[in-house]
Amino acid sequence: MSTVAPLPCLPAAVIFDMDGLMLDSERAILDALRQAAEEHGARIDPDWWLGLIGHSDEVCRQRLGALIGEEAAGAVLARGHALYIAVAEAGIAHRPGIVTLLELLAKHGIPRAVATSTRRPLALRKLEAADLLWRFDVVCTSSDVARPKPAPDVYLLAAQRLGVDPAQCLVLEDSPTGVRAALAAGMTPVQIPDLLAPDDAVRALGHRIVDSLAHAQALLEPLLRTRRTSATATRG
Protein backbone atom coordinates (compact mmCIF):
# COMPACT_ATOMS: atom_id res chain seq x y z
CA MET A 1 0.00 0.00 0.00
CA SER A 2 2.84 2.46 0.71
CA THR A 3 3.79 2.50 -2.98
CA VAL A 4 0.25 3.11 -4.25
CA ALA A 5 -0.57 6.75 -4.89
CA PRO A 6 -3.47 8.11 -2.85
CA LEU A 7 -6.67 8.91 -4.67
CA PRO A 8 -6.81 12.56 -5.76
CA CYS A 9 -10.29 13.15 -4.35
CA LEU A 10 -13.34 11.35 -3.02
CA PRO A 11 -15.22 9.83 -5.97
CA ALA A 12 -18.79 10.85 -6.65
CA ALA A 13 -19.58 7.19 -7.39
CA VAL A 14 -17.88 3.79 -7.34
CA ILE A 15 -18.43 1.35 -10.20
CA PHE A 16 -17.70 -2.34 -9.69
CA ASP A 17 -16.87 -5.12 -12.09
CA MET A 18 -18.56 -8.36 -11.06
CA ASP A 19 -16.73 -11.60 -11.93
CA GLY A 20 -13.40 -11.98 -10.17
CA LEU A 21 -13.87 -8.67 -8.38
CA MET A 22 -16.98 -9.14 -6.25
CA LEU A 23 -17.66 -12.82 -6.90
CA ASP A 24 -15.15 -15.66 -6.84
CA SER A 25 -16.56 -16.71 -10.18
CA GLU A 26 -13.55 -16.77 -12.48
CA ARG A 27 -12.44 -20.10 -11.00
CA ALA A 28 -15.93 -21.54 -11.38
CA ILE A 29 -16.22 -20.36 -14.99
CA LEU A 30 -12.83 -21.74 -16.01
CA ASP A 31 -13.42 -25.03 -14.17
CA ALA A 32 -16.70 -25.47 -16.04
CA LEU A 33 -15.08 -24.75 -19.40
CA ARG A 34 -12.18 -27.08 -18.72
CA GLN A 35 -14.57 -29.87 -17.74
CA ALA A 36 -16.68 -29.27 -20.86
CA ALA A 37 -13.60 -29.34 -23.09
CA GLU A 38 -12.45 -32.62 -21.54
CA GLU A 39 -15.91 -34.14 -22.05
CA HIS A 40 -15.70 -33.21 -25.74
CA GLY A 41 -12.18 -34.57 -26.12
CA ALA A 42 -10.61 -31.16 -26.68
CA ARG A 43 -7.07 -31.06 -25.31
CA ILE A 44 -6.36 -27.50 -24.22
CA ASP A 45 -3.56 -26.26 -21.98
CA PRO A 46 -5.19 -25.40 -18.61
CA ASP A 47 -3.48 -21.99 -18.60
CA TRP A 48 -4.88 -21.09 -22.03
CA TRP A 49 -8.26 -20.38 -20.46
CA LEU A 50 -6.82 -17.50 -18.43
CA GLY A 51 -6.71 -15.45 -21.63
CA LEU A 52 -10.52 -15.38 -21.69
CA ILE A 53 -10.81 -13.54 -18.37
CA GLY A 54 -12.59 -10.22 -18.67
CA HIS A 55 -13.73 -10.73 -22.27
CA SER A 56 -17.22 -10.85 -23.72
CA ASP A 57 -18.98 -14.06 -24.73
CA GLU A 58 -18.38 -13.26 -28.41
CA VAL A 59 -14.63 -12.75 -27.96
CA CYS A 60 -14.40 -16.01 -26.00
CA ARG A 61 -16.27 -17.84 -28.75
CA GLN A 62 -13.97 -16.43 -31.42
CA ARG A 63 -10.80 -17.35 -29.55
CA LEU A 64 -11.95 -20.86 -28.74
CA GLY A 65 -13.20 -21.34 -32.29
CA ALA A 66 -9.82 -20.36 -33.67
CA LEU A 67 -8.26 -23.01 -31.42
CA ILE A 68 -10.55 -26.02 -31.86
CA GLY A 69 -12.97 -25.06 -34.62
CA GLU A 70 -16.28 -23.21 -34.50
CA GLU A 71 -18.51 -26.26 -34.13
CA ALA A 72 -16.48 -27.76 -31.30
CA ALA A 73 -16.23 -24.37 -29.63
CA GLY A 74 -20.00 -23.96 -29.71
CA ALA A 75 -20.50 -27.35 -28.09
CA VAL A 76 -17.88 -26.73 -25.41
CA LEU A 77 -19.24 -23.29 -24.55
CA ALA A 78 -22.82 -24.55 -24.37
CA ARG A 79 -21.87 -27.39 -22.02
CA GLY A 80 -19.59 -25.13 -19.98
CA HIS A 81 -22.38 -22.58 -19.65
CA ALA A 82 -24.78 -25.25 -18.38
CA LEU A 83 -22.26 -26.46 -15.80
CA TYR A 84 -21.56 -22.92 -14.68
CA ILE A 85 -25.23 -21.95 -14.38
CA ALA A 86 -25.75 -24.73 -11.84
CA VAL A 87 -22.93 -23.29 -9.74
CA ALA A 88 -24.08 -19.67 -10.16
CA GLU A 89 -27.68 -20.39 -9.15
CA ALA A 90 -26.46 -22.00 -5.94
CA GLY A 91 -24.71 -18.71 -5.11
CA ILE A 92 -21.08 -17.96 -5.86
CA ALA A 93 -18.87 -17.05 -2.93
CA HIS A 94 -17.95 -13.41 -2.37
CA ARG A 95 -14.45 -12.13 -2.85
CA PRO A 96 -13.03 -11.16 0.58
CA GLY A 97 -13.96 -7.67 1.70
CA ILE A 98 -16.73 -6.88 -0.77
CA VAL A 99 -19.59 -6.62 1.71
CA THR A 100 -17.57 -4.47 4.14
CA LEU A 101 -16.67 -2.08 1.33
CA LEU A 102 -20.23 -1.84 0.02
CA GLU A 103 -21.56 -1.19 3.52
CA LEU A 104 -19.01 1.59 4.02
CA LEU A 105 -19.96 3.30 0.76
CA ALA A 106 -23.66 3.00 1.55
CA LYS A 107 -23.09 4.48 5.00
CA HIS A 108 -21.47 7.54 3.43
CA GLY A 109 -24.04 7.88 0.66
CA ILE A 110 -21.65 7.07 -2.20
CA PRO A 111 -23.63 5.75 -5.20
CA ARG A 112 -22.68 2.27 -6.42
CA ALA A 113 -23.05 0.58 -9.80
CA VAL A 114 -22.13 -2.70 -11.46
CA ALA A 115 -20.57 -2.71 -14.94
CA THR A 116 -20.05 -6.25 -16.19
CA SER A 117 -19.30 -8.10 -19.43
CA THR A 118 -21.83 -10.76 -18.40
CA ARG A 119 -25.19 -10.68 -20.20
CA ARG A 120 -28.00 -9.09 -18.22
CA PRO A 121 -30.19 -12.09 -17.30
CA LEU A 122 -27.26 -14.08 -15.90
CA ALA A 123 -25.70 -11.06 -14.20
CA LEU A 124 -28.91 -10.35 -12.29
CA ARG A 125 -29.30 -14.01 -11.31
CA LYS A 126 -25.74 -14.17 -10.01
CA LEU A 127 -26.01 -10.95 -8.03
CA GLU A 128 -29.35 -12.01 -6.56
CA ALA A 129 -28.08 -15.48 -5.61
CA ALA A 130 -25.06 -13.88 -3.94
CA ASP A 131 -27.32 -11.42 -2.04
CA LEU A 132 -25.58 -8.42 -3.60
CA LEU A 133 -28.12 -7.08 -6.09
CA TRP A 134 -29.95 -4.91 -3.56
CA ARG A 135 -26.73 -3.15 -2.60
CA PHE A 136 -26.43 -1.36 -5.98
CA ASP A 137 -28.21 1.64 -7.45
CA VAL A 138 -27.54 0.59 -11.06
CA VAL A 139 -26.56 -2.60 -12.88
CA CYS A 140 -25.17 -2.27 -16.42
CA THR A 141 -24.24 -5.31 -18.52
CA SER A 142 -22.97 -6.21 -21.97
CA SER A 143 -26.63 -6.64 -22.99
CA ASP A 144 -27.11 -2.90 -22.53
CA VAL A 145 -24.33 -1.57 -24.80
CA ALA A 146 -23.13 -1.92 -28.38
CA ARG A 147 -19.51 -2.70 -27.57
CA PRO A 148 -18.12 -4.81 -24.71
CA LYS A 149 -15.01 -4.07 -22.66
CA PRO A 150 -12.31 -2.91 -23.43
CA ALA A 151 -14.58 -0.34 -25.07
CA PRO A 152 -15.76 2.19 -22.45
CA ASP A 153 -19.47 1.82 -23.24
CA VAL A 154 -20.64 -0.10 -20.16
CA TYR A 155 -18.79 2.24 -17.81
CA LEU A 156 -20.08 5.35 -19.54
CA LEU A 157 -23.61 3.96 -19.33
CA ALA A 158 -23.22 3.33 -15.60
CA ALA A 159 -22.07 6.92 -15.04
CA GLN A 160 -24.96 8.23 -17.15
CA ARG A 161 -27.53 6.22 -15.21
CA LEU A 162 -26.05 7.36 -11.91
CA GLY A 163 -26.04 10.97 -13.12
CA VAL A 164 -22.33 11.34 -12.39
CA ASP A 165 -19.51 12.79 -14.50
CA PRO A 166 -17.28 9.90 -15.65
CA ALA A 167 -14.21 11.82 -14.47
CA GLN A 168 -15.61 11.63 -10.93
CA CYS A 169 -16.06 7.85 -10.95
CA LEU A 170 -13.80 5.31 -9.29
CA VAL A 171 -13.74 1.89 -10.95
CA LEU A 172 -12.75 -1.34 -9.20
CA GLU A 173 -11.63 -4.05 -11.64
CA ASP A 174 -9.73 -7.30 -11.60
CA SER A 175 -8.91 -7.74 -15.30
CA PRO A 176 -6.67 -5.79 -17.71
CA THR A 177 -9.57 -5.65 -20.17
CA GLY A 178 -11.74 -3.90 -17.59
CA VAL A 179 -8.96 -1.50 -16.62
CA ARG A 180 -8.57 -0.46 -20.24
CA ALA A 181 -12.32 0.10 -20.49
CA ALA A 182 -12.31 2.30 -17.39
CA LEU A 183 -9.35 4.34 -18.64
CA ALA A 184 -11.05 4.77 -22.02
CA ALA A 185 -14.11 6.09 -20.15
CA GLY A 186 -11.98 8.74 -18.44
CA MET A 187 -12.45 7.17 -15.02
CA THR A 188 -10.00 6.31 -12.25
CA PRO A 189 -9.45 2.54 -12.06
CA VAL A 190 -8.02 0.57 -9.17
CA GLN A 191 -7.13 -2.99 -10.14
CA ILE A 192 -7.40 -5.88 -7.70
CA PRO A 193 -6.04 -8.82 -9.70
CA ASP A 194 -7.49 -12.27 -9.15
CA LEU A 195 -6.30 -15.12 -11.37
CA LEU A 196 -4.58 -12.96 -13.97
CA ALA A 197 -1.52 -11.11 -12.65
CA PRO A 198 -0.77 -7.80 -14.40
CA ASP A 199 2.18 -8.03 -16.78
CA ASP A 200 4.52 -5.21 -17.77
CA ALA A 201 2.18 -3.97 -20.47
CA VAL A 202 -0.68 -3.67 -17.99
CA ARG A 203 1.47 -1.98 -15.37
CA ALA A 204 2.58 0.51 -18.01
CA LEU A 205 -0.98 1.84 -18.13
CA GLY A 206 -0.08 3.70 -14.93
CA HIS A 207 -3.18 2.92 -12.88
CA ARG A 208 -3.29 1.89 -9.24
CA ILE A 209 -2.91 -1.82 -8.46
CA VAL A 210 -3.61 -3.26 -4.99
CA ASP A 211 -3.76 -6.81 -3.71
CA SER A 212 -7.19 -6.87 -2.05
CA LEU A 213 -10.50 -5.10 -1.71
CA ALA A 214 -9.45 -4.19 1.82
CA HIS A 215 -6.52 -2.23 0.36
CA ALA A 216 -8.85 -0.55 -2.12
CA GLN A 217 -11.04 0.44 0.82
CA ALA A 218 -7.98 1.82 2.59
CA LEU A 219 -7.50 4.25 -0.30
CA LEU A 220 -11.01 5.59 0.26
CA GLU A 221 -11.08 5.79 4.04
CA PRO A 222 -8.91 8.93 4.50
CA LEU A 223 -11.10 10.80 2.02
CA LEU A 224 -14.27 9.67 3.78
CA ARG A 225 -12.85 10.78 7.15
CA THR A 226 -11.93 14.17 5.71
CA ARG A 227 -15.43 14.67 4.36
CA ARG A 228 -16.98 13.64 7.67
CA THR A 229 -14.71 16.03 9.57
CA SER A 230 -15.53 18.88 7.19
CA ALA A 231 -19.25 18.20 7.51
CA THR A 232 -19.01 18.20 11.31
CA ALA A 233 -17.10 21.48 11.31
CA THR A 234 -19.66 23.08 9.01
CA ARG A 235 -22.55 22.02 11.24
CA GLY A 236 -20.68 23.33 14.26
Side-chain angles (χ1 to χ4, degrees), residues 72-113:
V76 168
L77 290 174
R79 173 59 175 157
H81 180 74
L83 291 169
Y84 177 62
I85 288 294
V87 175
E89 290 186 339
I92 297 172
H94 297 164
R95 295 290 294 157
I98 185 60
V99 170
T100 301
L101 175 55
L102 288 170
E103 288 177 343
L104 178 69
L105 294 173
K107 176 182 176 181
H108 288 272
I110 305 294
R112 302 158 307 286

Side-chain angles (χ1 to χ4, degrees), residues 182-213:
L183 289 170
M187 300 179 179
T188 299
V190 174
Q191 185 179 7
I192 305 97
D194 182 21
L195 293 179
L196 199 59
D199 58 18
D200 291 342
V202 173
R203 292 184 180 278
L205 297 173
H207 61 293
R208 294 165 180 82
I209 302 174
V210 299
D211 60 10
S212 69
L213 286 167

Side-chain angles (χ1 to χ4, degrees), residues 44 48-49 59-69 73 76-77:
I44 300 174
W48 180 87
W49 300 100
V59 170
C60 293
R61 181 177 295 275
Q62 290 173 359
R63 291 189 176 185
L64 187 57
L67 186 67
I68 64 174
V76 168
L77 290 174

